[in-house]
Amino acid sequence: MKILLPALPVILGFLLDCAVGDPYNIPHPIKLIGRLIGTLEKLVRKRMKNLRLGGVILGMTVVLLSTAAPLALLLVCYHFSLIVGIIAETVLCCYMLAARCLCRESMKVCRAAESGDTEAARKAVSMIVGRDTAVLERDGIIRAAVETVAENTSDGVTAPLFYMGLGGAVGAFFYKSVNTMDSMIGYKDEKFADIGRFAAKLDDVLNYIPSRLTAFFMVIAAPISGLDGRNAFRIWRRDRRNHASPNSAQTESACAGALHLRLAGDAWYFGKLHKKPYIGDDDRPVKPADIRRANKLMYVTSVFMLIISAAARCIIFGGLL
């Protein structure tokens, strides 16, 4: 039975996230990492002329501090007691997952759209997407929510699970520190092109395998979720590269195919129109219930990654106990 112990924090952390999600009234480690990134960004801009080099220093500092802190905490907890260590790592793993939060926030859009309150749906979707939502009509709002669930299935759930399989909570903190940097400074506009280059490239590297593994699991999960697995595979093969990012279209294409929807396309960011290719086929009108279906697909897909992650933990760390 000892060989199974390394997987316990990952499994329990996932179950805890599904049950309660992130509490809004307790400081979240990701917010602390975000503050660190913001502080270091200001410092680099003030002290360094070479922003590309400054971005590398910023990125390495954030990764180092973000992984050293949970590592030190867990070393103390496991030294004190195996049970205390497992409890602490379970909580940290839970913090690095966003399945319940993603479902909860996207379902606010679903319920508002179902009730016919487009403005409430617009406000709800503005909390979970980075694009300008003022120009979106009802169908565009629903599509934006579906796209967010599809993309963040990897970024918010399965990719952290993947790195938990390799390094437990510390591995997940390592991944999320890079992913958070990318979401804050990893843009290609004039302001962030240099300082955010390192974070964006590192995020692409870290997401390369998890995004493709997630798309594969999403195709398998589609028929289990009552969706079209064959079409998910067809659209994934055709449209998985229809994005500027090498990873983002992987899960979006599988989800679009499973739902028989057309996602992506042109979008407004900070008042500027960005031309983007479509993902999927416009087989039918989008419906609010598609957000609910996308969330179901997200959960089933996540269970597959959880199994792989738990197995990896047992194989890699089981012999050390």
Side-chain angles (χ1 to χ4, degrees):
M1 290 298 293
K2 281 188 176 182
I3 196 172
L4 301 177
L5 287 178
L8 270 183
V10 178
I11 297 171
L12 294 176
F14 177 78
L15 294 176
L16 184 62
D17 174 65
C18 290
V20 300
D22 295 330
Y24 290 123
N25 57 344
I26 298 178
H28 198 289
I30 297 299
K31 290 184 178 179
L32 298 177
I33 293 173
R35 291 177 185 174
L36 174 63
I37 295 167
T39 300
L40 290 177
E41 181 196 350
K42 292 177 182 177
L43 186 62
V44 167
R45 291 187 184 278
K46 184 177 180 180
R47 298 291 181 88
M48 299 189 68
K49 292 183 179 180
N50 188 336
L51 291 183
R52 185 165 294 187
L53 175 60
V56 174
I57 295 173
L58 184 158
M60 294 178 66
T61 303
V62 169
V63 169
L64 178 62
L65 294 178
S66 299
T67 54
L71 177 60
L73 175 63
L74 290 177
L75 287 175
V76 171
C77 290
Y78 275 112
H79 179 75
F80 182 78
S81 165
L82 178 62
I83 295 177
V84 172
I86 289 175
I87 292 173
E89 190 165 14
T90 294
V91 173
L92 292 180
C93 285
C94 176
Y95 269 128
M96 293 298 102
L97 298 170
R100 178 63 180 269
C101 181
L102 180 60
C103 180
R104 181 168 55 202
E105 296 303 317
S106 62
M107 284 305 297
K108 291 179 182 178
V109 183
C110 178
R111 287 189 290 269
E114 286 177 333
S115 69
D117 193 340
T118 301
E119 287 309 310
R122 189 192 315 281
K123 182 178 180 181
V125 82
S126 71
M127 304 301 293
I128 57 175
V129 301
R131 73 188 68 180
D132 297 342
T133 58
V135 298
L136 296 178
E137 300 296 335
R138 175 181 176 275
D139 287 358
I141 291 170
I142 297 170
R143 282 194 178 89
V146 172
E147 290 171 27
T148 296
V149 173
E151 183 176 356
N152 285 286
T153 293
S154 182
D155 288 358
V157 190
T158 56
L161 281 172
F162 177 85
Y163 285 100
M164 284 178 198
L166 300 178
V170 176
F173 267 79
F174 167 73
Y175 168 77
K176 289 301 293 184
S177 67
V178 175
N179 189 244
T180 304
M181 274 194 293
D182 179 61
S183 67
M184 291 180 65
I185 63 173
Y187 299 102
K188 294 182 178 180
D189 58 17
E190 184 177 351
K191 181 179 179 182
F192 295 106
D194 289 329
I195 198 170
R197 179 181 172 84
F198 176 77
K201 294 298 182 183
L202 184 56
D203 184 71
D204 286 344
V205 171
L206 293 185
N207 276 302
Y208 190 87
I209 294 176
S211 65
R212 285 153 179 77
L213 197 55
T214 301
F216 171 73
F217 288 146
M218 196 171 276
V219 170
I220 297 175
I224 300 174
S225 306
L227 303 173
D228 192 337
R230 181 174 295 180
N231 199 55
F233 180 69
R234 182 180 72 86
I235 297 298
W236 170 76
R237 287 193 64 189
R238 190 191 73 187
D239 294 348
R240 67 187 187 274
R241 296 186 180 90
N242 285 6
H243 200 284
S245 162
N247 305 314
S248 293
Q250 296 289 328
T251 51
E252 282 192 47
S253 58
C255 183
L259 291 169
H260 282 272
L261 293 178
R262 188 173 70 177
L263 303 176
D266 298 349
W268 291 82
Y269 293 87
F270 307 108
K272 184 178 180 181
L273 179 63
H274 289 251
K275 306 294 287 185
K276 295 183 177 183
Y278 285 111
I279 295 174
D281 294 329
D282 195 16
D283 293 336
R284 61 176 180 82
V286 67
K287 300 178 181 179
D290 289 318
I291 301 173
R292 187 176 286 105
R293 297 184 184 104
N295 277 306
K296 184 176 182 180
L297 183 61
M298 177 267 291
Y299 274 116
V300 178
T301 301
S302 299
V303 169
F304 281 110
M305 187 66 86
L306 174 66
I307 293 171
I308 295 298
S309 177
R313 287 285 288 170
C314 293
I315 294 171
I316 296 172
F317 298 98
L320 298 179
L321 297 177

